[in-house]
Amino acid sequence: MKKIYIIGFLAMGLFIAGQAFAHTPLCSCWDNGDDTITCEGGFSDGSSAAGVIMRVTDSDGKVLINGKMNEDSEFTFKKPSMSYIVEFDAGKGHKIISKGEEILE
Amino acid sequence: MKKSILFLVGLVGSMMISINAFAHFQMVYTPEAALEKGGEIELKLVFTHPFEAGHTMDMGAPEQFFVIHKEKKNDLLKTLKPIIWKSLTNTGNAYETSYKLRGMGDWIFALTPAPYYEGSEDAYIQQITKMIVNVAGAPTDWDAEIGLPAEIVPLDKPYALWTGNVFRGVVKGDGKPVPFAEIEVEYLNHEPVMGKNKFAKKAKVKAPQDAFVTLAIKADANGVFSFGIPKAGWWGFAALGAGPSTEFKGKELSQDAVIWVKAVDMK
């Protein structure tokens, strides 16, 4: 009987995880024109990206800035002086990379 | 003499009939509905016959023009600049503006034009029009009912349609579904040339008969309609007389609800 419960919970867990992967992560960044960059994140089902890890690295992968999406699913940071990459990291299969030179006003 | 008069009457008569056969459509146009990134977009407000790129009507000063993004409304009426739009047969007064999209999500542009007096029908037409642009695929507002007196509320994303998809919407008048609403559907058959404020001469398709120029469909008992989209590009839907106002300056008024959707080919 206990086994059934365990299997049940396991199945539920799988189901929840499955739901989480059914949508696509989205992230879009723009240059505010005042030496800052803002990125906005979300998911294709309309759910929020609040709390998602944001990482700004140089082209060699060295981390310049570590942060998180705020409650409005936004993350603003000072524009690095060198070429950089922004990583939206919502877990495995949910990463989005934006190149600094493609982030425009 | 008699013969020539008869001929003239016949000619005028047939001209009137052919004018009536094509539907008026208020356009709120921008080239792309689904953008990868934000930025400035150009908008043209033209009252025309989109399939034929024919007679373009003179728009009066619009009553309302605004945009909704993440449930926030932004008035754009004062940003409108008058332009002259050139159709294949005439020119008409129209408007333009530009708008900067910041971030992701849906932007609903909504226009309430001034009622237009249609002499051939001795009546006024007011086409309250919605057009929705999306950035980066995040859905935020597209399915919202924004409280227009005549409104088509989409059931499918108007900017994320493959050619061959079905587009569905609910026709609403004063917030209530309009059972068996009459809807005219037209294809934007001549590409608008943004820099020149005119339609391209070249038609994308040819209608075999007038019933194919303006397609007439009806909503069901719940005001819901569906339409299978046969070709990529912009399609306009106009639910005739959906709004509650039926009179303007002592004459009949048709308060229509218009929405534009864009389909793209699977490639």
Side-chain angles (χ1 to χ4, degrees):
Chain A
M1 191 62 189
K2 258 187 188 167
K3 261 189 193 162
I4 289 174
Y5 276 118
I6 290 165
I7 289 168
F9 276 114
L10 200 68
M12 260 175 79
L14 277 166
F15 184 66
I16 291 163
Q19 286 286 351
F21 288 119
H23 50 243
T24 312
L26 306 162
C27 184
S28 176
C29 305
W30 63 93
D31 191 328
N32 291 309
D34 59 357
D35 280 330
T36 65
I37 305 290
T38 298
C39 295
E40 190 185 350
F43 293 91
S44 56
D45 64 348
S47 61
S48 159
V52 167
I53 291 166
M54 297 297 291
R55 219 171 282 124
V56 184
T57 67
D58 67 11
S59 43
D60 297 327
K62 193 185 146 209
V63 177
L64 304 171
I65 304 162
N66 260 319
K68 272 183 184 178
M69 285 287 182
N70 68 13
E71 356 179 281
D72 297 325
S73 301
E74 284 187 6
F75 174 62
T76 300
F77 59 94
K78 196 165 172 286
K79 189 177 173 178
S81 50
M82 70 281 274
S83 74
Y84 66 98
I85 286 161
V86 187
E87 205 178 302
F88 171 95
D89 185 359
K92 234 183 180 181
H94 281 74
K95 272 185 200 171
I96 298 174
I97 306 285
S98 309
K99 285 183 186 160
E101 66 258 31
E102 285 164 15
I103 297 172
L104 307 169
E105 259 188 64
Chain B
M1 183 63 189
K2 261 188 189 165
K3 257 189 188 167
S4 63
I5 287 174
L6 272 178
F7 175 73
L8 265 174
V9 168
L11 195 68
V12 170
S14 67
M15 277 173 75
M16 276 182 73
I17 290 163
S18 63
I19 285 167
N20 277 321
F22 307 136
H24 299 69
F25 266 90
Q26 177 65 55
M27 284 173 45
V28 175
Y29 178 81
T30 190
E32 292 306 325
L35 299 159
E36 231 173 288
K37 285 181 175 182
E40 189 135 314
I41 61 164
E42 302 293 322
L43 295 151
K44 306 282 182 184
L45 281 47
V46 183
F47 191 35
T48 189
H49 297 84
F51 190 90
E52 301 280 313
H55 188 80
T56 293
M57 284 68 72
D58 284 328
M59 283 179 69
E63 290 179 6
Q64 276 195 318
F65 185 55
F66 59 88
V67 63
I68 289 179
H69 175 59
K70 293 188 173 174
E71 295 175 22
K72 268 183 220 140
K73 189 169 164 179
N74 193 353
D75 190 1
L76 302 178
L77 192 60
K78 288 195 179 110
T79 70
L80 293 178
K81 289 184 205 98
I83 54 166
I84 304 287
W85 188 269
K86 204 172 161 211
S87 76
L88 299 190
T89 59
N90 78 329
T91 57
N93 296 334
Y95 290 87
E96 69 177 4
T97 190
S98 60
Y99 189 71
K100 198 164 194 174
L101 309 173
R102 273 261 156 116
M104 301 196 304
D106 301 320
W107 278 262
I108 307 178
F109 292 92
L111 169 70
T112 305
Y116 171 83
Y117 178 70
E118 178 52 69
S120 70
E121 292 169 30
D122 192 27
Y124 283 88
I125 306 168
Q126 184 179 39
Q127 294 201 323
I128 301 170
T129 303
K130 285 193 343 192
M131 190 274 292
I132 297 146
V133 177
N134 175 271
V135 174
T140 56
D141 303 83
W142 67 273
D143 55 350
E145 185 175 345
I146 61 171
L148 300 169
E151 182 170 352
I152 293 175
V153 181
L155 297 175
D156 302 288
K157 286 176 189 160
Y159 51 82
L161 297 162
W162 292 114
T163 308
N165 270 168
V166 165
F167 175 71
R168 297 166 305 148
V170 191
V171 178
K172 295 215 168 174
D174 225 1
K176 290 178 215 68
V178 181
F180 308 111
E182 199 183 319
I183 300 143
E184 292 187 327
V185 187
E186 236 177 77
Y187 181 54
L188 181 56
N189 194 22
H190 293 258
E191 203 68 47
V193 185
M194 293 300 273
K196 294 196 169 153
N197 291 336
K198 65 171 193 179
F199 287 116
K201 248 192 198 136
K202 193 174 163 259
K204 294 179 182 175
V205 296
K206 202 174 163 236
Q209 190 241 30
D210 277 354
F212 293 82
V213 172
T214 304
L215 300 158
I217 62 170
K218 295 193 86 170
D220 67 12
N222 300 312
V224 175
F225 68 89
S226 54
F227 180 80
I229 300 171
K231 193 167 172 68
W234 284 97
W235 287 84
F237 296 81
L240 307 181
S245 296
T246 55
E247 211 184 286
F248 184 76
K249 288 188 178 167
K251 299 216 185 273
E252 195 188 316
L253 168 70
S254 178
Q255 208 173 34
D256 307 344
V258 173
I259 194 166
W260 285 89
V261 310
K262 191 179 182 186
V264 294
D265 286 331
M266 288 190 103
K267 282 196 262 203

